């Protein structure tokens, strides 16, 4: 069973470890995730599978919403966990405003998941990602 809950200290180490494995060149780190937990405009969540962290996501809600990050443990992919995280973040967001995100051009599974959730490509940031250098696809709902 998958349960989406607010990211709390008890899950922080597991989320940081997941992020380091999923996105080895990620700039996030423990301090960033902790800051996301304590500020008033970020909404970090963790997906628990049978009580164990299997994925995570962060929504930033200022003027518009922005999905900053969704990650799912490699061995848990293909089970709809990313979609559940995405739906939870969208339910938190103020749906009267636009919601944005960016995703690597080559991340086809994530792009399909976002399209299924209603996002459409609106722009690209050329060479945005490094290791390897790749375009970011900007999507909006």
């Amino acid at each position: 069973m998958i349960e989406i809950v607010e990211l709390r200290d008890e899950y922080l180490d597991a989320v940081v470890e997941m992020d380091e494995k999923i996105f080895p060149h990620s700039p996030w780190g423990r301090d960033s995730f902790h800051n996301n937990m304590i500020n008033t405009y970020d909404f970090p969540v963790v997906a628990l599978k049978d009580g164990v962290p299997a994925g995570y996501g962060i929504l930033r809600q200022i003027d518009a919403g922005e999905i900053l990050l969704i990650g799912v443990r490699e061995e848990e992919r293909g089970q709809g966990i990313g979609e559940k995280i995405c739906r939870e973040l969208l339910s938190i967001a103020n749906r009267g405003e636009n919601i944005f995100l960016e995703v690597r051009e080559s991340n086809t599974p994530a792009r399909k998941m976002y399209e299924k959730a209603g996002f459409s490509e609106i722009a690209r940031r050329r060479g945005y990602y490094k290791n390897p250098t790749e375009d970011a696809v900007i999507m909006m709902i």
Side-chain angles (χ1 to χ4, degrees):
M1 180 173 128
I2 305 299
E3 179 184 17
I4 309 294
V5 299
E6 183 178 338
L7 178 59
R8 300 185 300 261
D9 284 333
E10 66 191 278
Y11 305 121
L12 184 56
D13 289 337
V15 167
V16 171
E17 183 180 321
M18 255 190 288
D19 188 65
E20 290 171 350
K21 288 180 181 173
I22 296 167
F23 305 108
H25 302 286
S26 172
W28 287 85
R30 191 176 212 298
D31 289 343
S32 292
F33 279 106
H34 183 262
N35 289 337
N36 294 130
M37 290 168 50
I38 62 174
N39 68 43
T40 59
Y41 48 83
D42 286 343
F43 301 90
V45 299
V46 61
L48 302 175
K49 181 178 180 186
D50 301 321
V52 178
Y56 57 94
I58 302 171
L59 170 76
R60 176 162 288 162
Q61 184 76 42
I62 301 178
D63 292 333
E66 180 180 6
I67 294 178
L68 299 178
L69 195 59
I70 292 179
V72 176
R73 189 182 311 276
E74 186 173 357
E75 57 271 19
E76 305 295 346
R77 293 183 189 156
Q79 300 177 37
I81 295 171
E83 289 180 33
K84 288 181 182 184
I85 294 168
C86 186
R87 282 195 305 270
E88 179 67 21
L89 296 177
L90 290 174
S91 75
I92 294 168
N94 178 350
R95 294 306 301 266
E97 301 290 333
N98 293 325
I99 301 168
F100 297 89
L101 61 84
E102 61 192 35
V103 60
R104 277 187 180 269
E105 180 178 36
S106 66
N107 193 343
T108 304
R111 289 175 62 188
K112 287 182 179 184
M113 178 189 72
Y114 294 133
E115 288 169 358
K116 185 176 178 182
F119 284 88
S120 299
E121 180 178 337
I122 61 165
R124 289 182 180 242
R125 289 187 177 131
R126 302 285 177 215
Y128 179 79
Y129 289 105
K130 306 298 180 215
N131 299 315
T133 300
E134 190 171 352
D135 290 354
V137 176
I138 309 303
M139 301 180 85
M140 182 180 81
I141 190 171

